[in-house]
């Protein structure tokens, strides 16, 4: 029997305890100055950024300056179309002092931005050997996830729906299989468009979710970040609490005896 | 008689592959440091990759650029 409030519920990735099960992406914000408050409001401990060539006419600040100091910065390899390019981005980021946490993202498909699972596995094999904390973004597939686990990935990040679509957990059944079969944290990434989607993922046992578009494109991103934080926590608590079974027929909540007569 | 013709760019400038684009830029005998400072206005936390190797800011002035070097100037941007 679980004792409420006494559950020690920690999310460990690569042996490191994370303070939240909500990870935040930093793309698409209307003003970068919102980002510190969004991170604060979300309670997130992991924040993703990308690496790009400098646009010589652009005077924008480096995104890293907006990220709260106690957060882990996870570099994504977006823009990579092959394993080789993803590996290069990871190595450059590490040498530039941005740490070992790498979200491997290899995409060749411009319409749906679906990840290339094969190239992702190749990159994961190389980067795990080089000591990176490998967080691969993949289409949810059990055999792919098993190969990533063998390769030394630190988590699996299956997509709920294509990036930026806000459609929710369209791949729910396949993510469920990963949760059941894979002994690594499962972090649902992409497609989560509403706090209710995040709660749904957490209720079914996902270990964390990564949210970007849904927060960044909300009318009030800071308020939305807080809403996601509550939904993620509520979903996690519900998962730990063990939801009751779903039935076809009614089962009275009140005693079935009549009020005055039997 | 063979006449070598040089363009004035070739004589005075370095041929550098900057962010994937080949161009004549920077005078001969230029250090990575002065080259970058000429190109980028906001130097805060840019990542510089010279011939596939990341060069830390404090080392920029120790690198002398040569013809056909590749220089990538990168930075971290928002991403999911």
């Amino acid at each position: 029997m679980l004792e409420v409030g006494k559950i020690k519920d920690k999310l460990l990735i690569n042996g490191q305890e994370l303070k939240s099960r909500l990870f935040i992406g930093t793309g698409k914000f209307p003003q970068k100055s919102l980002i510190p408050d969004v991170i604060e409001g979300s309670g997130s401990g992991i924040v993703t950024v990308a690496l790009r060539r400098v646009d010589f006419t652009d005077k924008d600040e480096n995104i890293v300056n907006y990220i709260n100091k106690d957060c882990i910065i996870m570099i994504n390899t977006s823009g990579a179309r092959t394993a080789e390019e993803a590996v290069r981005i990871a190595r450059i980021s590490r040498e530039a002092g941005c740490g070992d946490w790498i979200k491997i993202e290899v995409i060749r498909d411009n319409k749906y931005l679906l990840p290339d699972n094969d190239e992702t596995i190749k990159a994961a094999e190389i980067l795990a050997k080089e000591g990176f904390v490998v967080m691969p973004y993949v289409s949810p597939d059990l055999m792919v996830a098993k190969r990533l686990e063998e390769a030394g990935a630190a988590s699996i990040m299956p997509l709920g729906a294509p990036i930026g679509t806000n459609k929710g957990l369209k791949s729910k059944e396949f993510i469920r299989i990963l949760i059941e079969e894979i002994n690594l944290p499962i972090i649902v990434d992409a497609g989560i468009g509403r706090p209710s989607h995040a709660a749904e993922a957490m209720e079914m046992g996902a270990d964390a979710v990564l949210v970007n578009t849904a927060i960044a494109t909300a009318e009030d991103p800071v308020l939305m970040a807080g809403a996601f934080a509550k939904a993620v926590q509520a979903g996690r608590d519900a998962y730990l609490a063990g939801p009751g079974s779903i039935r076809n027929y009614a089962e009275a909540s009140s005693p079935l005896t009549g009020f005055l007569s039997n | 008689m063979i006449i070598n013709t040089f363009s004035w760019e070739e004589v005075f400038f370095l041929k550098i592959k900057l962010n994937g684009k080949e161009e004549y830029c920077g005078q001969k005998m230029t250090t990575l440091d002065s080259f970058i400072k000429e190109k980028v206005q906001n130097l805060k936390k840019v990542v510089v990759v010279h011939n596939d190797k990341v060069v830390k800011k404090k080392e920029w002035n120790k690198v002398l650029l040569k013809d056909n070097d590749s220089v990538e100037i990168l930075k971290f941007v928002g991403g999911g």
Side-chain angles (χ1 to χ4, degrees):
Chain A
M1 186 79 181
L2 295 168
E3 284 183 77
V4 176
K6 290 193 174 173
I7 304 162
K8 190 82 179 148
D9 180 37
K10 292 192 288 192
L11 172 58
L12 287 174
I13 295 182
N14 196 44
Q16 192 159 342
E17 186 177 341
L18 301 173
K19 64 177 185 174
S20 163
R21 292 175 181 273
L22 174 58
F23 301 176
I24 298 290
T26 55
K28 299 184 193 166
F29 280 91
Q31 295 121 34
K32 292 197 185 72
S33 54
L34 286 165
I35 292 172
D37 287 340
V38 163
I39 295 171
E40 186 76 30
S42 70
S44 182
I46 292 202
V47 177
T48 60
V49 302
L51 185 65
R52 285 290 179 282
R53 283 172 171 161
V54 166
D55 170 358
F56 295 114
T57 56
D58 161 32
K59 288 175 188 164
D60 251 4
E61 282 279 309
N62 188 308
I63 193 81
V64 175
N65 298 342
Y66 294 95
I67 297 175
N68 313 25
K69 294 286 172 273
D70 60 342
C71 282
I72 293 169
I73 292 175
M74 179 158 70
I75 311 298
N76 72 35
T77 66
S78 65
R81 299 173 76 82
T82 61
E84 193 188 345
E85 286 172 10
V87 167
R88 185 157 183 257
I89 293 169
R91 288 174 182 158
I92 289 172
S93 300
R94 174 150 78 182
E95 281 188 68
C98 260
D100 295 330
W101 291 66
I102 284 288
K103 172 179 156 184
I104 301 179
E105 188 177 333
V106 183
I107 294 175
R108 292 161 179 267
D109 159 47
N110 289 331
K111 188 171 180 186
Y112 290 106
L113 298 176
L114 293 174
D116 183 326
N117 283 352
D118 283 350
E119 291 294 303
T120 303
I121 293 168
K122 281 187 218 159
E125 284 167 346
I126 297 167
L127 292 174
K129 279 191 195 122
E130 294 182 12
F132 284 92
V133 182
V134 169
M135 313 276 280
Y137 169 65
V138 287
S139 294
D141 177 282
L142 180 60
M143 298 324 291
V144 167
K146 284 191 172 180
R147 286 182 60 195
L148 287 165
E149 192 174 15
E150 284 163 18
S155 78
I156 307 291
M157 304 183 76
L159 59 92
I163 294 171
T165 58
N166 287 341
K167 285 194 172 183
L169 296 179
K170 295 300 170 194
S171 56
K172 186 170 182 178
E173 185 54 22
F174 298 96
I175 293 177
R176 189 193 64 72
I177 293 170
L178 298 190
I179 291 169
E180 191 182 287
E181 298 294 323
I182 299 293
N183 292 317
L184 289 174
I186 304 295
I187 300 155
V188 180
D189 181 7
I192 292 176
R194 302 282 183 269
S196 56
H197 302 154
E200 189 183 1
M202 298 306 295
E203 271 177 29
M204 74 170 178
D207 293 279
V209 295
L210 192 155
V211 181
N212 186 351
T213 303
I215 292 175
T217 63
E219 278 185 35
D220 185 336
V222 178
L223 190 59
M224 190 59 92
F228 267 100
K230 289 173 199 153
V232 166
Q233 190 58 55
R236 180 65 186 174
D237 288 351
Y239 168 74
L240 293 173
S245 58
I246 293 169
R247 330 164 58 99
N248 281 332
Y249 300 108
E251 188 188 27
S253 302
S254 308
L256 268 181
T257 50
F259 175 47
L260 292 175
S261 59
N262 282 330
Chain B
M1 194 168 91
I2 301 164
I3 300 171
N4 280 324
T5 53
F6 296 103
S7 69
W8 65 276
E9 287 102 332
E10 281 176 73
V11 177
F12 293 105
F13 292 97
L14 285 161
K15 191 172 164 193
I16 298 289
K17 200 168 188 183
L18 173 64
N19 282 5
K21 249 175 76 182
E22 216 163 68
E23 46 184 291
Y24 288 102
C25 47
Q27 288 174 29
K28 304 271 179 187
M29 304 300 287
T30 298
T31 63
L32 191 57
D33 187 59
S34 53
F35 178 76
I36 291 163
K37 284 178 179 162
E38 188 186 305
K39 290 285 167 193
V40 190
Q41 290 164 359
N42 188 350
L43 285 171
K44 267 192 191 167
K45 298 202 180 171
V46 291
V47 177
V48 173
V49 184
H50 174 241
N51 294 342
D52 272 333
K53 220 172 141 344
V54 173
V55 183
K56 298 246 159 61
K57 198 170 184 175
K58 58 175 190 277
E59 310 280 324
W60 289 354
N61 60 5
K62 294 178 191 159
V63 177
L64 204 58
L65 292 178
K66 301 181 303 298
D67 261 332
N68 300 314
D69 275 4
S70 126
V71 177
E72 293 273 349
I73 306 179
L74 312 169
K75 71 170 182 176
F76 292 102
V77 298

